[in-house]
Amino acid sequence: MIRASAYTFKILRFDRKKPEDRARFQTYRVRVIPGLTILGVLNRIRDEIDGTLSFRSSCRSAVCGSCAMVINGRIDLACRTQAASFGTDTIILEPLPNMEIIKDLVVDMTPFWTMYEKVRPWLDRPGPGPEKEMRQSPEDRALIDQFVNCILCACCYGACPVISRDPQYLGPAALAKLERFILDSRDERPVSALDEVNNEHGVWGCDTVLKCIEACPKSVRPTDAIIDLRKRLFVEKAKKLLGIGR
């Protein structure tokens, strides 16, 4: 027999269309069975208790990344986090940091997508395309696997301390995606593309405190990409100083 236990969920409520109503925590009591996820709880609250509660979700399988939020002080995906995994019957839910709240747990991700677009996250091939396809060896594919795993959930963006003080910082997800395409054997973007991130709003803005690695639900490790991009910039500078490749 499956036993359910009563849990207390404190959810941050705010509606930017009603700025006169200050942000507040609203408490809900929900009976939780083993295996029930935070997303499952939110669906129950919305469907059975309070239809005004707002949050994002889609795949329920940790693939789309839309249900990212702060769960008891830790950034994670609600669909893959079980309510009974915290060892406490009180769970606090808050929206992702570093972005403006639209309503409740829904944030405005426009800054995230703006920075993402700046790195041109697509295959850059200035010449004519192939007649059929661009083949890639298993070895070349393995080089980008780590960064292909990014689901653009913005967990790293929310966790990044640099963005909280520098809204112009590209952010870990965008820089990891840039690394993904630079490493791609099919990409032909010029080396000069690195010049656009060779500044304090790009690879040199990172504090390397690894908060993005801690928050990432897919083990992308964006800091690895940032460090590698820094190394590439050093190599290119050394080549110029030595007159190599001219």
Side-chain angles (χ1 to χ4, degrees):
M1 180 179 178
I2 299 177
R3 294 185 177 180
S5 301
Y7 278 63
T8 298
F9 291 88
K10 295 182 178 180
I11 305 177
L12 188 68
R13 305 298 306 273
F14 178 73
D15 187 345
R16 73 177 180 187
K17 291 183 178 180
K18 302 176 181 178
E20 67 279 5
D21 296 338
R22 300 182 64 181
R24 71 193 190 284
F25 281 99
Q26 188 163 347
T27 300
Y28 302 91
R29 290 285 286 177
V30 179
R31 295 188 66 78
V32 173
I33 62 173
L36 185 65
T37 64
I38 296 297
L39 180 58
V41 169
L42 289 171
N43 282 324
R44 284 192 59 189
I45 293 173
R46 183 195 59 195
D47 296 343
E48 302 174 12
I49 303 174
D50 186 349
T52 68
L53 180 64
S54 295
F55 56 93
R56 286 192 177 108
S57 69
S58 182
C59 72
R60 299 182 297 176
S61 302
V63 174
C64 73
S66 60
C67 64
M69 61 186 66
V70 182
I71 307 171
N72 267 7
R74 179 179 177 180
I75 296 175
D76 209 334
L77 302 179
C79 68
R80 74 166 198 163
T81 305
Q82 295 187 15
S85 64
F86 293 96
T88 176
D89 60 2
T90 299
I91 296 177
I92 300 173
L93 304 179
E94 302 167 276
L96 282 177
N98 291 332
M99 287 170 277
E100 183 182 352
I101 300 173
I102 295 176
K103 188 172 186 294
D104 303 335
L105 301 174
V106 178
V107 296
D108 185 352
M109 293 183 64
T110 300
F112 173 80
W113 294 119
T114 298
M115 297 306 169
Y116 176 69
E117 187 178 8
K118 283 185 177 182
V119 302
R120 299 192 300 277
W122 52 77
L123 288 177
D124 190 339
R125 294 180 64 85
E131 293 183 4
K132 293 184 178 180
E133 60 184 329
M134 292 179 285
R135 294 191 175 185
Q136 188 173 58
S137 70
E139 292 76 19
D140 285 338
R141 166 65 196 206
L143 292 176
I144 63 175
D145 275 349
Q146 174 182 346
F147 305 110
V148 167
N149 287 336
C150 174
I151 59 175
L152 302 174
C153 60
C155 285
C156 61
Y157 192 91
C160 181
V162 179
I163 293 169
S164 64
R165 67 172 186 268
D166 180 12
Q168 298 306 310
Y169 177 53
L170 282 172
L175 292 170
K177 193 62 68 171
L178 174 61
E179 173 77 348
R180 172 254 182 274
F181 284 101
I182 286 178
L183 288 175
D184 198 310
S185 60
R186 301 162 296 180
D187 192 84
E188 296 179 350
R189 68 188 65 207
V191 175
S192 59
L194 285 173
D195 294 341
E196 299 175 17
V197 299
N198 188 17
N199 53 63
E200 70 275 13
H201 302 306
V203 297
W204 305 110
C206 176
D207 288 342
T208 60
V209 295
L210 312 183
K211 290 292 185 181
C212 57
I213 292 178
E214 180 182 336
C216 179
K218 291 295 182 178
S219 301
V220 174
R221 297 181 59 88
T223 309
D224 292 353
I226 295 170
I227 295 302
D228 191 66
L229 290 170
R230 288 178 176 179
K231 290 178 180 178
R232 289 177 186 275
L233 285 166
F234 274 124
V235 169
E236 291 305 316
K237 183 176 182 179
K239 285 181 178 180
K240 290 181 180 179
L241 290 174
L242 296 173
I244 300 174
R246 292 182 178 178

